[in-house]
Amino acid sequence: MTATGMPHRAGFGAGVGRVFRARETGILIAFLAVTAIATGVNPTFVFSTDGWRNLLLTPTLLILLAIGEAMVIITRNVDLSVGSIFGLSAWTCGQVYLAFPHAPIVVIFIVGIVCGALLGLVNGLIVTIAKVPALVVTLGTLYIYRGIAVLWAGSNLIDPDNLPSDFQSLGHTSIWIIPKLTIIAVVVAVIAGWALRNLRAGREMYAIGSDPAAATLYGLRTRRRVLTAFILSGALAGLTGVLFLSYNAGASSQSGSGYELLAVAAAVVGGVAIFGGSGTILGAVIGALLLNTISNALPVVGIPDVWQQAITGALIIAAIILDRVLLLRSTRKLVIAEEASHV
Amino acid sequence: MSDEGRVAPPVLLLSQVAKSFGAVVALKNGTLTLEGGSIHALVGENGAGKSTIVKIIAGLYQRDSGEMQLRGETVDFKTTAEAKSAGIAVIYQEPTLFPDLSVTENIFMGRQPVKSLRRIDRAQMRRNALDLFARLGVGIDPDRPARGLSIADQQIIEIAKAISLDARVLIMDEPTAALSGIEVDRLFTIARALRDEGRAIAFISHRFDEIFALCDTITVMRDGEFISSGPIAETSVEIMVRQMVGRDIEQLFPKEPAEIGEPVLEVDRITEPGVFHDITFNVRSGEIVALAGLVGAGRSEVARAIFGVDPYKTGSVKLNGKTVPKRDPASSMRAGIGLVPEDRRGQGLVMGFSVAWNTTLAIRKRLARAGILTPSLENPVAARWASALQVKASALSTEVGTLSGGNQQKVVMAKWLATAPKLLIVDEPTRGIDVGTKSDIHRLISQLAGEGLGVLMISSELPEVLGMADRVLVMHEGRITAELDRADATSESVMFAATHGTAASA
């Protein structure tokens, strides 16, 4: 009955085919093209200490947020509060330094991550137990968490004087030619990508997003998985807050505002389907790289940066249309293959 | 207990299991015995309680009372996961797979083989999937996504899943409803092989020929109750049908005699490929024509096509001799057709709005003055119909969402009667309605026919069909398989035509 010999082909040929068909490849090519054009116009875009560092360092915050966002979106939810969690965590860490100027860096990291994870836990509990759509819940907590930060911070600022120099230097130093923050983002991305691909919990997140009703029938622990996604998204937003505090050498009540939509955009542009069930961490990372590099490149190639948002918007819509088209095309192909296998 | 003295307890035993949802009793006495190495048929009309039993076994519902035993030990499944880990697998009519994930992942989700670091062993998993398919004798690509698989192949995936779990109990809920002949044969071969491995299989189907071809024993249910059980060899189609429907009918639905006049609706050979074929019939004024058959036979689709909501490819529909345009509900309404849909909450009413608003919904244009509609224009009309139909609502401004099912149905009917239709199509008019209001609705339909309206009534409840209809059309798999006059229509003849496609589909 098997008429399909081709999909069984394994090894190098199939591997190359998969790489070319992968959704991530297109985004990566777009990223390389933008970088190449900007470098053509102005070689310092890559080939200068500042240019190189900008290229790698500026996207790290968005990459971390996009990783968490991707996990949430894969479960067919969304987390709009990551920008506010980022801000509140950054502010909290700053306050810890005000109270304990000699706190070890590792403690600051733990404070930021735990703070973010708790805020994510609140999101996850409301979504899974009260069964309120994540869009509504996290839209609410976006304002609530930001409101807490505003109440707490008022018009005060954390400025460089409040932060120990070794913490500040973390945000600006490199190991060999790779900024330390970038290394952190890469390590997180590798772990998250590996877990989502290779652990049962990761695969179950895809299953839940692919068909929540089927996941329940299947007996998967949907509540626990969705809760985990929100906690991880919160924790990563908290970590982002710590890195921001270090890199920016300061924070205010408005730190991180606006990042939530960029995070969603990065994930979606990177091929994480907005209705869940498909997409990869790698895609989300490249999506974040692309969005960030476009905004860096526009001024270089002489396009006023007011166009940056329009281009980001166009990219999101293009990505969603592309997903839709690819889905329809692959469904048609699969149905045809299915029918052919019964002839 | 009937099984005392046996050596081994049955693999699965349900005894006197009951389940209610609020006031609705879905299952009064669910009694079912499944033995290893045997295929057991579970039959009954729509609403007999088969699906409720299946969902209780699957752990999706929890029983209110009664006993459920797995190999002699009482079990209470609170989740589908518990039922599954106890070795029970359910294959639903429309399997639920994860469309984005590969066939292999769909089989092993949640219990994938793992290597060090709890990493999923993909190669092993793929080999296991190929082994399963080899055992089942099917060639499905293990790497393709589940999206786009035929229903038959999706069921194979579900069966593969069940085998990989080493499920000792397999429940197949109408697995053949959407399959072609070859696919059914393949499924049966697999089912027999699983039986011969000693598994207990329950097979739910409306197709008697399949039941006799496949099953060893049978349980018949009716109205949520156990009726009989025994070896398949000791029963026959006639006995089964009588057990499925047997009930006193005439007293429930007092139909008033009406004068039957000229044809109002003439349907001529309408066909929509894959949905219904060559549907030809007419409805005369004063006549109630019932469209009977099993769920999924295509009855609602025919009704929706006549009203113009759904398409049909060939054929024609005429009302009072004039052709009704295809796919144009607005002109169907103008021509004088009303449709009381099955899903009254979703399609018949606007739940958040008032009784008055809903009643006048279909005649808004006519009522409005200079395009503006005020309560003073709506209320007199609404009040007239509400009292004519005895709608029990505290006020015309009451939201229809707060009314009982029966009163909601009256509002939907009032909406159409306000348009002074010539033909009223009612789809499952009394589904989910309490007994008292049920007879109100029946009396109303009968009265309307008496006033010269043509009525096309779709109903899955045989007593309703037999009690109300002047003529019964029976559909089976998209075709009309019998046309019976009131005198000839019996439970047996209707049920036989509803389950046997062969009679007229040549």
Side-chain angles (χ1 to χ4, degrees):
Chain A
M1 190 129 37
T2 313
T4 49
M6 209 183 70
H8 293 284
R9 186 185 58 182
F12 181 72
V16 169
R18 204 174 311 128
V19 166
F20 272 101
R21 275 195 307 273
R23 182 72 167 68
E24 291 81 9
T25 313
I27 311 295
L28 185 63
I29 290 170
F31 163 68
L32 294 176
V34 170
T35 312
I37 292 168
T39 311
V41 174
N42 183 351
T44 62
F45 189 74
V46 171
F47 302 108
S48 68
T49 320
D50 274 358
W52 177 250
R53 217 186 55 187
N54 266 335
L55 190 68
L56 291 184
L57 195 54
T58 53
T60 48
L61 301 181
L62 187 54
I63 285 174
L64 287 171
L65 292 177
I67 291 167
E69 192 67 63
M71 290 195 268
V72 173
I73 295 179
I74 281 169
T75 65
R76 201 180 279 195
N77 285 286
V78 71
D79 188 348
L80 293 181
S81 68
V82 288
S84 299
I85 294 180
F86 160 176
L88 192 48
S89 299
W91 186 259
T92 306
C93 293
Q95 292 301 306
V96 171
Y97 268 133
L98 281 182
F100 309 99
H102 301 294
I105 288 182
V106 85
V107 170
I108 296 301
F109 270 82
I110 290 171
V111 167
I113 291 170
V114 168
C115 171
L118 288 175
L119 297 173
L121 175 71
V122 172
N123 286 336
L125 286 176
I126 303 176
V127 170
T128 54
I129 292 176
K131 307 242 181 263
V132 182
L135 185 75
V136 180
V137 172
T138 58
L139 187 61
T141 52
L142 178 157
Y143 289 109
I144 294 170
Y145 296 163
R146 182 64 65 194
I148 294 171
V150 170
L151 273 178
W152 189 358
S155 55
N156 296 331
L157 297 174
I158 304 281
D159 51 48
D161 300 344
N162 306 128
L163 302 170
S165 57
D166 57 343
F167 181 68
Q168 288 186 41
S169 76
L170 173 71
H172 294 279
T173 49
S174 300
I175 293 178
W176 187 45
I177 55 165
I178 315 285
K180 285 178 181 165
L181 298 193
T182 307
I183 293 173
I184 294 176
V186 169
V187 167
V188 169
V190 168
I191 293 173
W194 181 87
L196 238 50
R197 183 169 159 74
N198 290 308
L199 294 186
R200 286 180 181 175
R203 300 318 296 170
E204 288 177 17
M205 284 182 182
Y206 283 95
I208 291 161
S210 190
D211 188 339
T216 308
L217 273 184
Y218 212 114
L220 299 183
R221 285 169 294 189
T222 54
R223 206 180 260 190
R224 181 189 293 197
R225 300 293 176 230
V226 171
L227 194 59
T228 308
F230 274 103
I231 293 172
L232 289 175
S233 171
L236 286 176
L239 173 64
T240 312
V242 178
L243 300 193
F244 172 81
L245 188 65
S246 160
Y247 166 72
N248 194 49
S252 74
S253 66
Q254 295 305 313
S255 299
S257 101
Y259 265 92
E260 53 281 329
L261 293 184
L262 279 175
V264 175
V268 169
V269 167
V272 177
I274 195 77
F275 291 119
S278 71
T280 60
I281 296 298
L282 178 65
V285 169
I286 302 175
L289 269 179
L290 177 63
L291 288 188
N292 192 80
T293 307
I294 285 175
S295 67
N296 286 347
L298 290 178
V300 172
V301 296
I303 299 171
D305 58 1
V306 291
W307 284 97
Q308 180 192 321
Q309 296 195 356
I311 289 179
T312 309
L315 268 176
I316 295 169
I317 294 173
I320 290 174
I321 292 174
L322 182 67
D323 273 345
R324 191 79 206 137
V325 171
L326 288 178
L327 179 68
L328 289 178
R329 221 177 56 179
S330 82
T331 305
R332 205 175 313 135
K333 231 157 79 185
L334 288 168
V335 168
I336 290 168
E338 170 73 16
E339 279 163 2
S341 75
H342 286 286
V343 173
Chain B
M1 286 239 155
S2 60
D3 57 327
E4 270 174 21
R6 280 201 197 157
V7 184
V11 174
L12 184 71
L13 174 82
L14 277 84
S15 169
Q16 311 253 328
V17 171
K19 176 73 189 173
S20 309
F21 298 95
V24 181
V25 180
L27 191 61
K28 277 181 245 166
N29 171 12
T31 295
L32 182 69
T33 308
L34 300 184
E35 301 280 359
S38 165
I39 303 179
H40 188 88
L42 181 59
V43 299
E45 273 186 274
N46 302 322
K50 298 169 307 212
S51 298
T52 311
I53 279 207
V54 169
K55 286 175 180 159
I56 288 172
I57 297 174
L60 212 56
Y61 295 164
Q62 281 75 52
R63 64 185 188 277
D64 297 335
S65 64
E67 181 67 14
M68 176 154 75
Q69 292 181 350
L70 194 66
R71 287 181 214 89
E73 282 177 37
T74 300
V75 283
D76 294 284
F77 302 133
K78 290 189 186 58
T79 63
T80 51
E82 287 180 25
K84 193 189 272 187
S85 64
I88 292 171
V90 179
I91 290 133
Y92 296 95
Q93 184 178 344
E94 304 247 331
T96 44
L97 300 177
F98 306 115
D100 298 298
L101 303 182
S102 76
V103 162
T104 305
E105 285 206 275
N106 264 288
I107 297 175
F108 295 103
M109 182 56 66
R111 46 196 181 78
Q112 300 93 334
V114 289
K115 309 189 272 201
S116 57
L117 289 171
R118 295 170 63 202
R119 180 157 57 113
I120 293 169
D121 189 343
R122 280 169 195 276
Q124 180 64 45
M125 189 161 78
R126 188 174 186 278
R127 276 197 300 278
N128 292 352
L130 286 172
D131 283 351
L132 283 170
F133 291 150
R135 260 178 83 183
L136 294 172
V138 295
I140 299 174
D141 175 8
D143 303 319
R144 63 162 285 159
R147 190 186 303 284
L149 279 175
S150 69
I151 300 263
D153 279 351
Q154 290 183 39
Q155 286 174 344
I156 299 291
I157 309 285
E158 293 280 358
I159 291 172
K161 210 192 289 179
I163 299 174
S164 76
L165 275 164
D166 198 28
R168 303 313 292 172
V169 179
L170 252 93
I171 316 276
M172 300 187 184
D173 191 357
E174 290 198 49
T176 57
L179 304 195
S180 69
I182 303 163
E183 290 167 338
V184 169
D185 291 343
R186 182 175 68 165
L187 182 71
F188 282 11
T189 310
I190 291 171
R192 289 193 187 98
L194 297 176
R195 172 190 63 191
D196 296 341
E197 291 173 8
R199 297 175 211 270
I201 298 174
F203 179 77
I204 298 173
S205 175
H206 283 301
R207 298 181 183 168
F208 292 156
D209 47 342
E210 292 177 1
I211 290 169
F212 282 95
L214 182 68
C215 301
D216 305 305
T217 50
I218 181 167
T219 292
V220 181
M221 293 186 69
R222 183 175 72 223
D223 297 336
E225 287 192 86
F226 169 84
I227 297 298
S228 76
S229 188
I232 203 97
E234 291 171 16
T235 190
S236 67
V237 173
E238 286 70 31
I239 296 173
M240 264 164 62
V241 166
R242 204 173 311 132
Q243 289 172 336
M244 281 164 69
V245 297
R247 161 175 45 178
D248 205 1
I249 290 148
E250 296 301 328
Q251 62 201 23
L252 257 171
F253 305 99
K255 182 189 176 326
E256 295 164 17
E259 196 176 314
I260 292 177
E262 292 298 301
V264 180
L265 174 76
E266 291 162 277
V267 178
D268 187 26
R269 295 196 311 269
I270 59 169
T271 294
E272 173 68 13
V275 185
F276 50 80
H277 303 273
D278 270 333
I279 304 295
T280 300
F281 68 91
N282 62 40
V283 179
R284 284 174 287 202
S285 78
E287 191 181 34
I288 302 177
V289 175
L291 204 50
L294 299 164
V295 170
R299 299 166 302 163
S300 298
E301 288 77 3
V302 168
R304 290 165 58 86
I306 292 171
F307 188 65
V309 187
D310 285 355
Y312 53 93
K313 202 151 188 188
T314 55
S316 71
V317 175
K318 283 182 183 161
L319 194 78
N320 285 343
K322 266 187 275 177
T323 303
V324 180
K326 286 183 198 179
R327 292 224 73 174
D328 185 0
S331 64
S332 303
M333 275 166 65
R334 274 196 302 277
I337 304 180
L339 173 69
V340 179
E342 180 179 3
D343 175 13
R344 74 184 76 92
R345 295 179 67 88
Q347 297 171 1
L349 293 169
V350 185
M351 299 313 281
F353 283 73
S354 69
V355 171
W357 197 89
N358 272 286
T359 307
T360 55
L361 188 56
I363 52 166
R364 298 180 71 74
K365 280 211 176 112
R366 212 176 69 209
L367 279 184
R369 286 224 185 98
I372 295 167
L373 193 59
T374 60
S376 64
L377 294 170
E378 277 177 350
N379 284 344
V381 182
R384 182 150 52 88
W385 288 108
S387 73
L389 272 61
Q390 299 173 335
V391 176
K392 290 183 190 71
S394 49
L396 287 173
S397 57
T398 308
E399 272 186 29
V400 289
T402 64
L403 300 182
S404 72
N407 281 302
Q408 288 179 0
Q409 187 69 308
K410 287 178 182 174
V411 174
V412 183
M413 294 191 57
K415 174 179 84 177
W416 288 116
L417 297 180
T419 67
K422 300 182 182 68
L423 175 80
L424 193 63
I425 305 173
V426 288
D427 194 351
E428 302 285 2
T430 61
R431 170 161 296 172
I433 289 174
D434 59 282
V435 180
T437 320
K438 233 178 191 174
S439 58
D440 279 2
I441 303 271
H442 289 138
R443 197 170 307 119
L444 182 67
I445 292 175
S446 181
Q447 238 170 39
L448 292 170
E451 290 165 14
L453 203 71
V455 178
L456 179 63
M457 178 180 78
I458 297 170
S459 175
S460 296
E461 294 190 35
L462 269 178
E464 183 168 274
V465 168
L466 300 175
M468 296 289 297
D470 294 298
R471 206 146 42 90
V472 182
L473 304 168
V474 188
M475 282 189 72
H476 173 75
E477 295 183 357
R479 291 172 192 279
I480 293 184
T481 50
E483 179 169 351
L484 306 160
D485 278 330
R486 186 175 177 82
D488 303 330
T490 62
S491 320
E492 286 80 6
S493 60
V494 173
M495 207 61 198
F496 191 84
T499 47
H500 280 65
T502 43
S505 63

